[in-house]
Amino acid sequence: MNEKNLLEQARLVCQQRGARFTQIREQVFVLLTQQDGAIGAYDLLEKLKTIDPAAKPATIYRALDFLLDFGFIHRLESTNAFVACYHFGCLHPVQFLICDSCGDVAEIQSEGLKDTLNNQAEAHGFRVLKQTIEAHGLCADCQQTEDTSIKEHSHEC
């Protein structure tokens, strides 16, 4: 889904829920949809300041809280960064593949993972209300770069 369609969908969700999608909230959302990978709040604030020089940390945190509450974005707990959600409007389990080299983030839907987790939790008398799993590693591009680098620096004895 492209940035414009996401923005229209977010506006519609806000309208349906009787919430104000203020200019600042919209700007922060658009910045996140334009971002490759995750971005921290202060880096996001610097980008917002190019649009609104008066933006302060409280401005960005209020906008991020709103966007999180409405499911328009996700917070990566392990890196304390944020990414846009491309299929909001429903409660869904979230799994992320986070590249520790380039910072790329892929949101995936692992078949069966939700059921497995819920079954194991239920066996312990626990009910899962929200599920986010973050897996760190290397994306395909970084694996290829790393493999090339290892080959270039290896020496035969």
Side-chain angles (χ1 to χ4, degrees), residues 4 15 21 29 32 36 38 48 61-62 73-74 78 87 99 108 110 120-121 124 132 135 150 152:
K4 187 175 179 179
Q15 182 181 13
F21 200 43
F29 181 66
L32 282 163
D36 288 331
L48 182 60
Y61 281 112
R62 281 193 299 268
I73 65 172
H74 297 291
S78 63
H87 54 275
C99 181
I108 61 169
S110 297
Q120 289 181 4
H124 284 47
T132 302
I150 290 170
E152 288 174 357

Side-chain angles (χ1 to χ4, degrees), residues 29-44:
F29 181 66
V30 168
L31 288 171
L32 282 163
T33 62
Q34 295 171 343
Q35 182 68 30
D36 288 331
I39 185 169
Y42 280 94
D43 291 332
L44 193 55

Side-chain angles (χ1 to χ4, degrees), residues 10-11 13-22 25 66 70:
R11 287 177 179 153
V13 168
C14 287
Q15 182 181 13
Q16 290 170 343
R17 294 185 187 175
R20 290 185 54 230
F21 200 43
T22 64
R25 292 170 178 170
F66 175 88
F70 275 73

Side-chain angles (χ1 to χ4, degrees), residues 36-67:
D36 288 331
I39 185 169
Y42 280 94
D43 291 332
L44 193 55
L45 176 60
E46 291 307 310
K47 289 181 178 277
L48 182 60
K49 282 183 177 182
T50 65
I51 301 166
D52 180 0
K56 304 279 186 249
T59 308
I60 201 77
Y61 281 112
R62 281 193 299 268
L64 289 169
D65 285 344
F66 175 88
L67 297 170

Side-chain angles (χ1 to χ4, degrees), residues 78-79 97-105 135-139 142:
S78 63
T79 59
L97 303 177
I98 304 166
C99 181
D100 290 327
S101 182
C102 71
D104 184 52
V105 178
H136 286 262
L138 295 174
C139 68
C142 290

